[in-house]
Amino acid sequence: MKLGSLDVDSPYLLAPMAGYTDKPFRSICKTFGAGLTVSELISVNAVYYGNKKTMKLIEKSDIEKPFSIQLFGGNPDTFLYAAQKIEHICDCININAGCPANKVVKAHSGSYLLKEKNRLFEIVDKLKKHIKKPVSIKLRKGFDENSINTMDFYKELEKRGIDFIVIHPRLRSQFFKGHLDYEHIAIAKDALNIDVIVNGGLNSYKKIEEVKQLTRCNFFMIGQSAIDKPYIFEDLINKKDSIRSVDFLKELIKKHFTLMIEYYGEYLAVRNFRKFFHHYTKGIKFSKQLNTQINSAKTEKEVIEIIESINNTQ
Ligand SMILES: Cc1cc2nc3c(=O)[nH]c(=O)nc-3n(C[C@H](O)[C@H](O)[C@H](O)COP(=O)(O)O)c2cc1C
């Protein structure tokens, strides 16, 4: 199926999440059928200065097709420079106009762009003029109660050539909690001809069916639920909500950790893996004990032993 001009195998897309959507995790989600993977938000300034850590964050695996890089920044010229520098690595560039973090907003980027729409339009215009790959945008419903996005604003983005749009229907002032206004997305979907992607609170097949009815959207972007259960993409494709066995989880945990060792090396893999392990073992018996062990593990061998012990604790 087509998402804008991109060929995607499934309508269920992985959301960008700083600290989580690295190459190993994206690869895991891709093997379960995520239609699109997106890097975490990448600073245009860091790309400008060729920051090594940042350039590693945008490495992609061979199976990530199509792959999108999400950029954030407030200066249109730096934005364009960064987009041109990384365009060859990805299939699509995504503009972040949703990040609520104080640091990002203070730098006049992320969700701040919803307050300074002319600056956002300037970024869009520059990218659409000079970038050959599709340019999409991920945004919130508005910055605060006084600046809720109008349909004219969305139409203006469409007119300026944005290829598709992801809407998280919360205000910046809500951060990650509170009411999700899917009705706002339904109205935007009606008003626009480009693809509109729903994002927020999509944690099961049942939920997506409800949201699909309400919004009439065809594409769905999944964030936090993918961290808990990356196999959600497979469930959605199979039109069901599954409960996986402990043996299945154990194999998945091992595979994920192996990919992290390959990508980060032992020192960082052992430390960065802890947060994923906490999510994977949420419903497992003795998870508290397992998590205490994983938090103090220092070597690959120790982590593997903890993973191997999971069955014995059930
Ligand atoms: C830990 C974390 C990091 C996030 N980082 C980003 C990011 O880098 N870029 C972005 O556009 N959104 C980011 N988000 C927001 C998600 O992409 C998504 O919009 C939000 O979590 C709502 O979707 P969900 O309910 O499916 O999680 C982040 C969310 C979380 C929880």
Side-chain angles (χ1 to χ4, degrees):
M1 69 192 68
K2 289 276 187 197
L3 168 60
S5 60
L6 295 176
D7 282 313
V8 293
D9 293 336
S10 115
Y12 309 113
L13 322 171
L14 176 64
M17 286 179 289
Y20 287 91
T21 47
D22 55 11
K23 180 178 163 187
F25 181 64
R26 296 195 312 262
S27 306
I28 291 282
C29 293
K30 190 70 195 177
T31 54
F32 284 118
L36 173 76
T37 52
V38 189
S39 74
E40 64 180 73
L41 83 175
I42 300 293
S43 152
V44 296
N45 293 329
V47 174
Y48 181 88
Y49 289 111
N51 179 291
K52 266 194 185 158
K53 261 193 187 166
T54 301
M55 297 319 277
K56 183 150 174 89
L57 282 176
I58 53 178
E59 256 178 42
K60 70 170 181 92
S61 77
D62 295 339
I63 58 170
E64 288 184 272
K65 190 99 192 113
F67 171 61
S68 175
I69 293 179
Q70 186 189 63
L71 293 174
F72 80 97
N75 179 310
D77 291 322
T78 318
F79 218 110
L80 175 62
Y81 177 90
Q84 284 177 318
K85 198 164 163 188
I86 51 105
E87 182 180 8
H88 66 285
I89 304 170
C90 61
D91 305 295
C92 173
I93 298 219
N94 180 260
I95 300 170
N96 180 312
C99 182
N102 287 331
K103 213 171 83 179
V104 172
V105 168
K106 270 193 192 143
H108 290 196
S109 48
S111 56
Y112 188 85
L113 295 174
L114 299 175
K115 267 176 53 143
E116 260 205 41
K117 295 196 171 63
N118 285 338
R119 187 192 289 260
L120 175 59
F121 292 148
E122 207 185 319
I123 293 172
V124 172
D125 290 347
K126 279 194 190 292
L127 264 55
K128 282 307 298 179
K129 186 163 178 207
H130 298 285
I131 297 292
K132 289 183 193 70
K133 304 269 168 77
V135 177
S136 63
I137 186 163
K138 180 167 178 283
L139 44 70
R140 287 175 172 248
K141 173 183 138 177
F143 191 81
D144 55 25
E145 288 293 349
N146 300 320
S147 66
I148 294 174
N149 302 336
T150 62
M151 294 308 127
D152 283 346
F153 165 62
Y154 290 137
K155 281 188 197 157
E156 190 62 36
L157 288 172
E158 180 175 77
K159 201 173 102 195
R160 288 169 190 256
I162 279 292
D163 291 274
F164 55 91
I165 180 167
V166 184
I167 306 182
H168 177 56
R170 281 192 181 108
L171 300 167
R172 183 266 173 172
S173 49
Q174 290 177 276
F175 283 79
F176 291 109
K177 290 212 165 69
H179 178 63
L180 284 154
D181 184 2
Y182 296 120
E183 188 58 39
H184 175 87
I185 302 185
I187 299 168
K189 166 75 181 153
D190 265 356
L192 297 174
N193 294 312
I194 50 171
D195 285 314
V196 176
I197 301 169
V198 186
N199 166 247
L202 306 174
N203 56 7
S204 66
Y205 178 65
K206 194 166 162 265
K207 180 74 189 182
I208 287 189
E209 283 301 290
E210 271 171 36
V211 172
K212 193 179 195 171
Q213 286 244 325
L214 192 71
T215 61
R216 292 171 301 284
C217 286
N218 301 317
F219 291 95
F220 305 90
M221 184 172 263
I222 294 133
Q224 291 164 92
S225 296
I227 306 175
D228 285 338
K229 41 176 186 180
Y231 48 86
I232 189 172
F233 296 102
E234 193 172 82
D235 283 0
L236 296 173
I237 291 165
N238 293 333
K239 302 184 189 305
K240 62 175 190 186
D241 292 311
S242 72
I243 296 172
R244 304 291 173 127
S245 69
V246 172
D247 281 343
F248 171 89
L249 281 181
K250 200 170 138 176
E251 283 314 305
L252 171 57
I253 294 171
K254 265 198 263 184
K255 185 177 165 197
H256 191 163
F257 182 57
T258 306
L259 290 176
M260 289 190 76
I261 290 281
E262 281 167 21
Y263 180 66
Y264 288 112
E266 184 178 40
Y267 183 88
L268 276 181
V270 167
R271 281 145 188 90
N272 289 349
F273 188 62
R274 291 173 186 157
K275 59 186 179 235
F276 288 106
F277 189 85
H278 298 165
H279 282 273
Y280 282 133
T281 54
K282 259 184 191 169
I284 281 182
K285 261 196 214 164
F286 304 114
S287 64
K288 208 169 159 195
Q289 189 182 321
L290 287 163
N291 283 314
T292 308
Q293 290 171 0
I294 209 87
N295 287 348
S296 54
K298 300 271 182 305
T299 64
E300 176 180 355
K301 187 166 166 279
E302 282 175 79
V303 172
I304 298 284
E305 277 168 11
I306 296 164
I307 300 172
E308 291 298 353
S309 77
I310 290 177
N311 260 355
N312 313 332
T313 60
Q314 299 306 298

